[in-house]
Short mmCIF file of all heavy atoms in Angstrom, two decimals:
data_model
loop_
_atom_site.label_atom_id
_atom_site.label_comp_id
_atom_site.label_asym_id
_atom_site.label_seq_id
_atom_site.Cartn_x
_atom_site.Cartn_y
_atom_site.Cartn_z
N MET A 104 -48.89 60.93 142.54
CA MET A 104 -49.36 59.58 142.91
C MET A 104 -50.43 59.10 141.95
O MET A 104 -51.33 59.85 141.59
CB MET A 104 -49.97 59.60 144.32
CG MET A 104 -48.98 59.23 145.41
SD MET A 104 -49.77 59.21 147.01
CE MET A 104 -50.31 57.49 147.06
N PRO A 105 -50.33 57.84 141.59
CA PRO A 105 -51.39 57.27 140.74
C PRO A 105 -52.71 57.23 141.49
O PRO A 105 -52.75 56.92 142.68
CB PRO A 105 -50.92 55.84 140.43
CG PRO A 105 -49.60 55.69 141.07
CD PRO A 105 -49.29 56.89 141.90
N GLU A 106 -53.76 57.53 140.78
CA GLU A 106 -55.04 57.67 141.46
C GLU A 106 -55.62 56.36 141.95
O GLU A 106 -56.12 56.25 143.05
CB GLU A 106 -56.05 58.32 140.50
CG GLU A 106 -56.15 59.82 140.70
CD GLU A 106 -57.17 60.41 139.78
OE1 GLU A 106 -58.19 59.75 139.52
OE2 GLU A 106 -56.95 61.53 139.30
N ASN A 107 -55.52 55.35 141.09
CA ASN A 107 -56.21 54.12 141.45
C ASN A 107 -55.25 52.99 141.79
O ASN A 107 -55.42 51.87 141.38
CB ASN A 107 -57.17 53.70 140.35
CG ASN A 107 -56.59 54.00 138.99
OD1 ASN A 107 -55.65 54.78 138.88
ND2 ASN A 107 -57.11 53.39 137.97
N ALA A 108 -54.20 53.32 142.51
CA ALA A 108 -53.34 52.27 143.02
C ALA A 108 -53.97 51.72 144.28
O ALA A 108 -54.24 52.45 145.22
CB ALA A 108 -51.95 52.81 143.31
N GLU A 109 -54.19 50.43 144.29
CA GLU A 109 -54.78 49.80 145.46
C GLU A 109 -53.72 49.08 146.26
O GLU A 109 -53.00 48.25 145.73
CB GLU A 109 -55.86 48.80 145.03
CG GLU A 109 -57.18 49.46 144.75
CD GLU A 109 -58.24 48.41 144.48
OE1 GLU A 109 -58.09 47.28 144.96
OE2 GLU A 109 -59.21 48.74 143.79
N GLU A 110 -53.67 49.39 147.52
CA GLU A 110 -52.71 48.71 148.38
C GLU A 110 -53.37 47.53 149.06
O GLU A 110 -54.48 47.65 149.59
CB GLU A 110 -52.17 49.67 149.43
CG GLU A 110 -51.19 50.66 148.86
CD GLU A 110 -50.50 51.46 149.94
OE1 GLU A 110 -51.03 51.52 151.05
OE2 GLU A 110 -49.44 51.99 149.67
N SER A 111 -52.66 46.44 149.05
CA SER A 111 -53.16 45.25 149.73
C SER A 111 -52.06 44.70 150.63
O SER A 111 -50.88 44.84 150.33
CB SER A 111 -53.57 44.18 148.72
OG SER A 111 -54.63 44.62 147.92
N PHE A 112 -52.48 44.09 151.70
CA PHE A 112 -51.54 43.33 152.51
C PHE A 112 -51.49 41.91 151.98
O PHE A 112 -52.51 41.33 151.60
CB PHE A 112 -52.01 43.26 153.97
CG PHE A 112 -51.66 44.47 154.77
CD1 PHE A 112 -52.64 45.23 155.36
CD2 PHE A 112 -50.33 44.84 154.94
CE1 PHE A 112 -52.31 46.33 156.12
CE2 PHE A 112 -50.00 45.95 155.69
CZ PHE A 112 -51.00 46.70 156.28
N LYS A 113 -50.29 41.35 151.98
CA LYS A 113 -50.16 39.93 151.74
C LYS A 113 -49.76 39.31 153.07
O LYS A 113 -48.66 39.53 153.56
CB LYS A 113 -49.10 39.64 150.67
CG LYS A 113 -48.99 38.18 150.32
CD LYS A 113 -48.03 38.01 149.15
CE LYS A 113 -47.70 36.55 148.91
NZ LYS A 113 -48.84 35.79 148.43
N CYS A 114 -50.69 38.60 153.66
CA CYS A 114 -50.49 38.06 154.99
C CYS A 114 -49.26 37.16 155.02
O CYS A 114 -49.10 36.27 154.19
CB CYS A 114 -51.73 37.27 155.41
SG CYS A 114 -51.58 36.53 157.04
N CYS A 115 -48.38 37.40 156.00
CA CYS A 115 -47.14 36.62 156.07
C CYS A 115 -47.40 35.25 156.67
O CYS A 115 -46.55 34.39 156.63
CB CYS A 115 -46.09 37.38 156.88
SG CYS A 115 -46.53 37.65 158.60
N ARG A 116 -48.58 35.05 157.23
CA ARG A 116 -48.86 33.75 157.84
C ARG A 116 -49.54 32.81 156.86
O ARG A 116 -49.15 31.67 156.70
CB ARG A 116 -49.75 33.93 159.07
CG ARG A 116 -50.01 32.64 159.79
CD ARG A 116 -50.99 32.80 160.91
NE ARG A 116 -50.36 33.34 162.12
CZ ARG A 116 -51.04 33.66 163.20
NH1 ARG A 116 -52.34 33.50 163.24
NH2 ARG A 116 -50.42 34.14 164.25
N CYS A 117 -50.57 33.29 156.18
CA CYS A 117 -51.32 32.39 155.31
C CYS A 117 -51.28 32.80 153.85
O CYS A 117 -51.75 32.06 153.00
CB CYS A 117 -52.78 32.30 155.78
SG CYS A 117 -53.73 33.80 155.51
N GLY A 118 -50.75 33.98 153.55
CA GLY A 118 -50.58 34.36 152.16
C GLY A 118 -51.79 35.01 151.53
O GLY A 118 -51.77 35.33 150.35
N THR A 119 -52.84 35.20 152.31
CA THR A 119 -54.02 35.84 151.77
C THR A 119 -53.75 37.31 151.48
O THR A 119 -53.08 37.99 152.24
CB THR A 119 -55.18 35.73 152.78
OG1 THR A 119 -55.47 34.36 152.99
CG2 THR A 119 -56.43 36.45 152.27
N MET A 120 -54.27 37.77 150.37
CA MET A 120 -54.18 39.18 150.06
C MET A 120 -55.53 39.83 150.29
O MET A 120 -56.56 39.32 149.88
CB MET A 120 -53.74 39.39 148.60
CG MET A 120 -52.27 39.06 148.39
SD MET A 120 -51.76 39.23 146.67
CE MET A 120 -52.12 40.95 146.42
N PHE A 121 -55.49 40.97 150.98
CA PHE A 121 -56.74 41.69 151.24
C PHE A 121 -56.44 43.18 151.28
O PHE A 121 -55.33 43.61 151.52
CB PHE A 121 -57.39 41.21 152.54
CG PHE A 121 -56.51 41.38 153.75
CD1 PHE A 121 -56.67 42.48 154.57
CD2 PHE A 121 -55.55 40.43 154.05
CE1 PHE A 121 -55.86 42.64 155.70
CE2 PHE A 121 -54.73 40.59 155.16
CZ PHE A 121 -54.89 41.68 155.99
N GLY A 122 -57.46 43.97 151.06
CA GLY A 122 -57.29 45.40 150.90
C GLY A 122 -56.80 46.08 152.17
O GLY A 122 -57.29 45.81 153.26
N ARG A 123 -55.89 46.98 151.98
CA ARG A 123 -55.37 47.71 153.12
C ARG A 123 -56.30 48.86 153.51
O ARG A 123 -56.41 49.23 154.67
CB ARG A 123 -53.99 48.25 152.77
CG ARG A 123 -53.29 48.90 153.94
CD ARG A 123 -51.96 49.49 153.49
NE ARG A 123 -51.23 50.05 154.63
CZ ARG A 123 -50.12 50.77 154.51
NH1 ARG A 123 -49.64 50.99 153.32
NH2 ARG A 123 -49.53 51.25 155.57
N GLU A 124 -56.93 49.44 152.51
CA GLU A 124 -57.92 50.49 152.72
C GLU A 124 -57.38 51.66 153.52
O GLU A 124 -58.07 52.24 154.37
CB GLU A 124 -59.17 49.92 153.40
CG GLU A 124 -59.87 48.88 152.53
CD GLU A 124 -60.96 48.15 153.30
OE1 GLU A 124 -61.20 48.48 154.47
OE2 GLU A 124 -61.58 47.25 152.71
N GLY A 125 -56.13 51.99 153.28
CA GLY A 125 -55.55 53.18 153.88
C GLY A 125 -55.17 53.06 155.34
O GLY A 125 -54.66 54.01 155.92
N ARG A 126 -55.41 51.89 155.91
CA ARG A 126 -55.07 51.75 157.32
C ARG A 126 -53.61 51.39 157.49
O ARG A 126 -52.97 50.89 156.59
CB ARG A 126 -55.94 50.65 157.96
CG ARG A 126 -57.40 51.02 158.01
CD ARG A 126 -58.24 49.83 158.39
NE ARG A 126 -58.19 48.80 157.35
CZ ARG A 126 -58.94 47.72 157.35
NH1 ARG A 126 -59.79 47.51 158.33
NH2 ARG A 126 -58.86 46.85 156.37
N TYR A 127 -53.08 51.66 158.68
CA TYR A 127 -51.69 51.28 158.93
C TYR A 127 -51.58 49.77 159.07
O TYR A 127 -50.72 49.13 158.50
CB TYR A 127 -51.16 51.97 160.19
CG TYR A 127 -49.78 51.47 160.55
CD1 TYR A 127 -48.68 51.87 159.76
CD2 TYR A 127 -49.58 50.61 161.60
CE1 TYR A 127 -47.42 51.41 160.05
CE2 TYR A 127 -48.31 50.14 161.90
CZ TYR A 127 -47.23 50.55 161.12
OH TYR A 127 -45.98 50.08 161.41
N SER A 128 -52.49 49.20 159.85
CA SER A 128 -52.47 47.76 160.03
C SER A 128 -53.89 47.24 159.85
O SER A 128 -54.86 47.97 160.01
CB SER A 128 -51.94 47.37 161.41
OG SER A 128 -52.84 47.81 162.41
N ALA A 129 -53.98 45.97 159.53
CA ALA A 129 -55.29 45.38 159.33
C ALA A 129 -55.23 43.90 159.69
O ALA A 129 -54.18 43.26 159.55
CB ALA A 129 -55.74 45.55 157.88
N ARG A 130 -56.36 43.39 160.14
CA ARG A 130 -56.40 41.99 160.56
C ARG A 130 -56.78 41.10 159.38
O ARG A 130 -57.74 41.38 158.68
CB ARG A 130 -57.42 41.83 161.68
CG ARG A 130 -57.33 40.49 162.39
CD ARG A 130 -58.16 40.51 163.65
NE ARG A 130 -57.57 41.38 164.67
CZ ARG A 130 -56.64 41.00 165.53
NH1 ARG A 130 -56.20 39.76 165.52
NH2 ARG A 130 -56.16 41.84 166.41
N CYS A 131 -56.02 40.05 159.21
CA CYS A 131 -56.28 39.13 158.12
C CYS A 131 -57.64 38.47 158.32
O CYS A 131 -57.93 37.94 159.40
CB CYS A 131 -55.19 38.07 158.07
SG CYS A 131 -55.48 36.77 156.86
N PRO A 132 -58.50 38.50 157.29
CA PRO A 132 -59.83 37.92 157.43
C PRO A 132 -59.83 36.40 157.49
O PRO A 132 -60.82 35.79 157.88
CB PRO A 132 -60.57 38.41 156.18
CG PRO A 132 -59.50 38.68 155.19
CD PRO A 132 -58.30 39.13 155.98
N VAL A 133 -58.73 35.79 157.10
CA VAL A 133 -58.69 34.33 157.06
C VAL A 133 -58.11 33.75 158.34
O VAL A 133 -58.72 32.91 159.00
CB VAL A 133 -57.88 33.85 155.83
CG1 VAL A 133 -57.71 32.34 155.85
CG2 VAL A 133 -58.57 34.30 154.55
N CYS A 134 -56.95 34.22 158.75
CA CYS A 134 -56.28 33.61 159.90
C CYS A 134 -56.25 34.52 161.12
O CYS A 134 -55.86 34.12 162.20
CB CYS A 134 -54.86 33.17 159.53
SG CYS A 134 -53.71 34.52 159.30
N GLY A 135 -56.64 35.78 160.94
CA GLY A 135 -56.70 36.68 162.08
C GLY A 135 -55.37 37.32 162.45
O GLY A 135 -55.29 38.01 163.46
N HIS A 136 -54.37 37.10 161.65
CA HIS A 136 -53.06 37.69 161.92
C HIS A 136 -53.13 39.20 161.73
O HIS A 136 -53.72 39.69 160.77
CB HIS A 136 -52.02 37.08 160.98
CG HIS A 136 -50.64 37.64 161.17
ND1 HIS A 136 -49.86 37.31 162.25
CD2 HIS A 136 -49.91 38.51 160.42
CE1 HIS A 136 -48.70 37.96 162.15
NE2 HIS A 136 -48.70 38.69 161.06
N GLU A 137 -52.52 39.94 162.64
CA GLU A 137 -52.50 41.39 162.54
C GLU A 137 -51.38 41.78 161.58
O GLU A 137 -50.21 41.69 161.93
CB GLU A 137 -52.29 42.02 163.91
CG GLU A 137 -52.36 43.52 163.91
CD GLU A 137 -53.79 44.02 163.84
OE1 GLU A 137 -54.71 43.25 164.17
OE2 GLU A 137 -53.98 45.19 163.47
N CYS A 138 -51.75 42.23 160.41
CA CYS A 138 -50.76 42.58 159.40
C CYS A 138 -50.36 44.04 159.54
O CYS A 138 -51.21 44.92 159.62
CB CYS A 138 -51.33 42.34 158.00
SG CYS A 138 -51.48 40.61 157.57
N THR A 139 -49.06 44.27 159.56
CA THR A 139 -48.53 45.61 159.51
C THR A 139 -47.49 45.64 158.39
O THR A 139 -47.00 44.59 157.97
CB THR A 139 -47.84 46.01 160.83
OG1 THR A 139 -46.67 45.22 160.99
CG2 THR A 139 -48.76 45.79 162.02
N PRO A 140 -47.16 46.82 157.91
CA PRO A 140 -46.14 46.90 156.86
C PRO A 140 -44.80 46.34 157.29
O PRO A 140 -43.96 46.03 156.45
CB PRO A 140 -46.04 48.42 156.58
CG PRO A 140 -47.35 48.97 157.01
CD PRO A 140 -47.77 48.13 158.18
N ASP A 141 -44.57 46.23 158.58
CA ASP A 141 -43.31 45.68 159.05
C ASP A 141 -43.23 44.17 158.86
O ASP A 141 -42.17 43.63 158.60
CB ASP A 141 -43.12 45.99 160.55
CG ASP A 141 -42.98 47.48 160.79
OD1 ASP A 141 -42.50 48.18 159.88
OD2 ASP A 141 -43.36 47.93 161.88
N HIS A 142 -44.37 43.50 159.02
CA HIS A 142 -44.36 42.05 158.97
C HIS A 142 -44.80 41.50 157.61
O HIS A 142 -44.26 40.54 157.13
CB HIS A 142 -45.30 41.48 160.05
CG HIS A 142 -44.89 41.85 161.43
ND1 HIS A 142 -45.74 42.46 162.32
CD2 HIS A 142 -43.71 41.71 162.08
CE1 HIS A 142 -45.08 42.68 163.45
NE2 HIS A 142 -43.86 42.24 163.33
N CYS A 143 -45.80 42.14 157.06
CA CYS A 143 -46.39 41.58 155.85
C CYS A 143 -46.10 42.50 154.67
O CYS A 143 -46.00 43.71 154.83
CB CYS A 143 -47.90 41.43 156.03
SG CYS A 143 -48.33 40.38 157.43
N ARG A 144 -46.02 41.93 153.53
CA ARG A 144 -45.75 42.72 152.33
C ARG A 144 -46.96 43.56 151.99
O ARG A 144 -48.10 43.13 152.10
CB ARG A 144 -45.45 41.80 151.14
CG ARG A 144 -43.98 41.46 151.04
CD ARG A 144 -43.70 40.66 149.79
NE ARG A 144 -43.84 41.46 148.56
CZ ARG A 144 -43.81 40.94 147.34
NH1 ARG A 144 -43.66 39.66 147.18
NH2 ARG A 144 -43.93 41.72 146.28
N VAL A 145 -46.67 44.77 151.55
CA VAL A 145 -47.72 45.62 151.00
C VAL A 145 -47.60 45.58 149.49
O VAL A 145 -46.55 45.90 148.94
CB VAL A 145 -47.60 47.07 151.51
CG1 VAL A 145 -48.62 47.96 150.83
CG2 VAL A 145 -47.77 47.11 153.02
N VAL A 146 -48.66 45.13 148.86
CA VAL A 146 -48.65 44.99 147.42
C VAL A 146 -49.49 46.11 146.82
O VAL A 146 -50.62 46.33 147.24
CB VAL A 146 -49.23 43.62 147.00
CG1 VAL A 146 -49.21 43.46 145.49
CG2 VAL A 146 -48.46 42.50 147.68
N VAL A 147 -48.90 46.81 145.88
CA VAL A 147 -49.63 47.86 145.21
C VAL A 147 -50.03 47.35 143.82
O VAL A 147 -49.18 47.03 143.01
CB VAL A 147 -48.79 49.15 145.07
CG1 VAL A 147 -49.59 50.22 144.35
CG2 VAL A 147 -48.36 49.62 146.45
N ALA A 148 -51.31 47.26 143.61
CA ALA A 148 -51.81 46.76 142.34
C ALA A 148 -52.64 47.84 141.67
O ALA A 148 -53.57 48.38 142.26
CB ALA A 148 -52.65 45.51 142.57
N SER A 149 -52.28 48.16 140.47
CA SER A 149 -53.11 49.07 139.70
C SER A 149 -53.74 48.26 138.59
O SER A 149 -53.09 47.89 137.63
CB SER A 149 -52.30 50.23 139.15
OG SER A 149 -51.32 49.77 138.26
N ASN A 150 -55.00 47.95 138.78
CA ASN A 150 -55.67 47.12 137.76
C ASN A 150 -56.53 47.97 136.85
O ASN A 150 -57.67 47.65 136.57
CB ASN A 150 -56.48 45.99 138.41
CG ASN A 150 -57.00 46.40 139.77
OD1 ASN A 150 -56.83 47.55 140.19
ND2 ASN A 150 -57.65 45.51 140.47
N GLU A 151 -55.96 49.05 136.43
CA GLU A 151 -56.66 49.93 135.51
C GLU A 151 -56.52 49.42 134.08
O GLU A 151 -57.48 49.36 133.35
CB GLU A 151 -56.06 51.34 135.62
CG GLU A 151 -56.47 52.28 134.50
CD GLU A 151 -57.75 53.01 134.81
OE1 GLU A 151 -58.44 52.64 135.79
OE2 GLU A 151 -58.09 53.93 134.09
N GLU A 152 -55.32 49.05 133.71
CA GLU A 152 -55.04 48.74 132.32
C GLU A 152 -55.49 47.33 131.95
O GLU A 152 -55.38 46.41 132.75
CB GLU A 152 -53.55 48.87 132.04
CG GLU A 152 -53.08 50.31 132.15
CD GLU A 152 -51.59 50.39 131.85
OE1 GLU A 152 -51.23 50.19 130.69
OE2 GLU A 152 -50.81 50.64 132.78
N TYR A 153 -55.93 47.22 130.74
CA TYR A 153 -56.27 45.90 130.23
C TYR A 153 -55.51 45.63 128.94
O TYR A 153 -55.28 46.54 128.18
CB TYR A 153 -57.79 45.80 129.96
CG TYR A 153 -58.52 45.15 131.11
CD1 TYR A 153 -58.83 45.89 132.24
CD2 TYR A 153 -58.86 43.81 131.05
CE1 TYR A 153 -59.52 45.30 133.29
CE2 TYR A 153 -59.54 43.20 132.10
CZ TYR A 153 -59.87 43.96 133.22
OH TYR A 153 -60.51 43.36 134.26
ZN1 ZN B 45 -53.58 35.37 157.19
#
């Protein structure tokens, strides 16, 4: 596994992306939607390279 892959949820309601931080589900800070991998996309971003 890549060390610094960051997982983020992309909220299916408002489109906000926010850190998943290893949790199964997380509440969207903007609209309050409960994001789970079933409903919202999980985006893996590795922003190591420039
Ligand atoms: Zn949202």
Side-chain angles (χ1 to χ4, degrees):
M104 266 183 90
E106 264 182 35
N107 37 343
E109 278 186 25
E110 286 189 339
S111 297
F112 278 120
K113 184 174 170 68
C114 179
C115 63
R116 183 186 279 175
C117 70
T119 298
M120 287 178 60
F121 59 97
R123 186 184 183 188
E124 297 171 2
R126 294 169 294 188
Y127 174 73
S128 66
R130 192 168 291 274
C131 174
V133 174
C134 72
H136 179 74
E137 184 77 20
C138 288
T139 68
D141 294 332
H142 299 126
C143 302
R144 272 185 70 189
V145 175
V146 181
V147 180
S149 63
N150 30 5
E151 167 88 349
E152 293 181 70
Y153 263 79

